[in-house]
Amino acid sequence: QVLLQESGPGLVKPSGTLSLTCVVSGGSMSSKNWWSWVRQSPGKGLEWIGETYHSGSTNYNPSLKSRVTISVDLPKNQFSLKLASVTAADTAVYYCARVVVVASINWFDPWGQGILVTVSS
Amino acid sequence: DIQMTQSPSSLSASIGDRVTITCRASQNITRYLNWYQQQPQKAPKLLIYGASSLQSGVPSRFSGSGSGTDFTLTITSLQPEDFATYYCQQGYNTLLFTFGPGTIVDVK
């Protein structure tokens, strides 16, 4: 059973960089899956941030692309999110999730428990 | 971008009720549509993938249907643990996944 767990600072100053890590257990990141970050602003819906493959390939949401970096660390079986130049609008619960692909259908499963990151001075 | 809409935005129901939630995509996404359930303060949980395939471990009272632009999630007999928020998600544009705004199912 694959489990994901996010970690990182819960408070980031405006204009700073948000940095989170997602540790994958119970399975290898070298499997044929993409690995994603999704966020949810307080009281709002879900927004896909981007994803990485074990090869290091990435795809990003165009609305965040200029500020986002997602990277993979295979020896540690984890992947990371960096979001630069944050503002209060980036305050959200950040989730990591595995992207399962079967017959060209993509879905997110499982998800990490989520981590609340607040942008405030 | 593929825009996803859901209706209603919220509904009130009783235990044992049949509940139907609709999701609409702004363009044809064939059957690349998934449904998630989110309990308060919890991560979303996959219920249905590929429009109608039930995820392993999910009760059979949940079902999905539809193709193209219009999709439906049905709960045949609402149980106490089903009061939650439900989201649809399109998996057609794999360079920009998008979610619906959610439907809150609460107690009547």
Side-chain angles (χ1 to χ4, degrees):
Chain A
Q1 176 191 6
V2 173
L3 296 175
L4 288 77
Q5 177 70 59
E6 306 90 347
S7 64
L11 181 65
V12 181
K13 291 187 180 340
S15 78
T17 297
L18 178 159
S19 296
L20 297 174
T21 296
C22 179
V23 175
V24 179
S25 59
S28 172
M29 286 194 65
S30 297
S31 60
K32 293 182 179 179
N33 297 110
W34 287 77
W35 303 88
S36 262
W37 288 96
V38 177
R39 70 180 182 179
Q40 185 170 33
S41 302
K44 299 283 184 64
L46 298 157
E47 180 181 32
W48 179 73
I49 299 170
E51 63 184 357
T52 186
Y53 198 59
H54 60 73
S55 63
S57 295
T58 54
N59 293 310
Y60 298 134
N61 187 321
S63 69
L64 299 168
K65 186 174 184 176
S66 64
R67 299 192 292 131
V68 172
T69 302
I70 297 175
S71 58
V72 61
D73 185 338
L74 288 181
K76 293 185 178 179
N77 219 39
Q78 65 185 39
F79 61 108
S80 299
L81 168 69
K82 291 188 186 299
L83 181 64
S85 305
V86 297
T87 69
D90 295 309
T91 293
V93 175
Y94 286 77
Y95 296 99
C96 57
R98 180 181 63 176
V99 183
V100 179
V101 183
V102 176
S104 298
I105 305 172
N106 292 249
W107 63 84
F108 301 99
D109 181 69
W111 297 59
Q113 66 182 27
I115 182 169
L116 173 63
V117 179
T118 301
V119 178
S120 175
S121 55
Chain B
D1 301 7
I2 299 176
Q3 308 298 323
M4 308 299 294
T5 58
Q6 290 181 233
S7 61
S9 57
S10 65
L11 65 90
S12 298
S14 301
I15 302 301
D17 282 355
R18 179 185 182 93
V19 170
T20 300
I21 299 169
T22 296
C23 175
R24 176 164 290 175
S26 60
Q27 67 181 71
N28 184 357
I29 59 171
T30 64
R31 294 181 61 82
Y32 294 175
L33 189 284
N34 309 309
W35 289 98
Y36 302 85
Q37 175 195 66
Q38 186 177 35
Q39 301 284 1
Q41 313 306 319
K42 297 288 188 181
K45 170 190 169 185
L46 177 71
L47 297 176
I48 302 283
Y49 61 90
S52 61
S53 295
L54 193 67
Q55 170 69 344
S56 175
V58 174
S60 58
R61 62 181 180 273
F62 290 92
S63 65
S65 64
S67 65
T69 60
D70 295 318
F71 302 86
T72 300
L73 174 70
T74 301
I75 310 171
T76 53
S77 178
L78 197 67
Q79 297 302 300
E81 60 269 30
D82 301 338
F83 293 105
T85 301
Y86 293 85
Y87 294 94
C88 61
Q89 173 247 323
Q90 63 81 15
Y92 182 84
N93 179 356
T94 58
L95 294 181
L96 181 52
F97 297 113
T98 48
F99 294 84
T103 295
I104 301 170
V105 177
D106 62 18
V107 179
K108 180 183 284 185

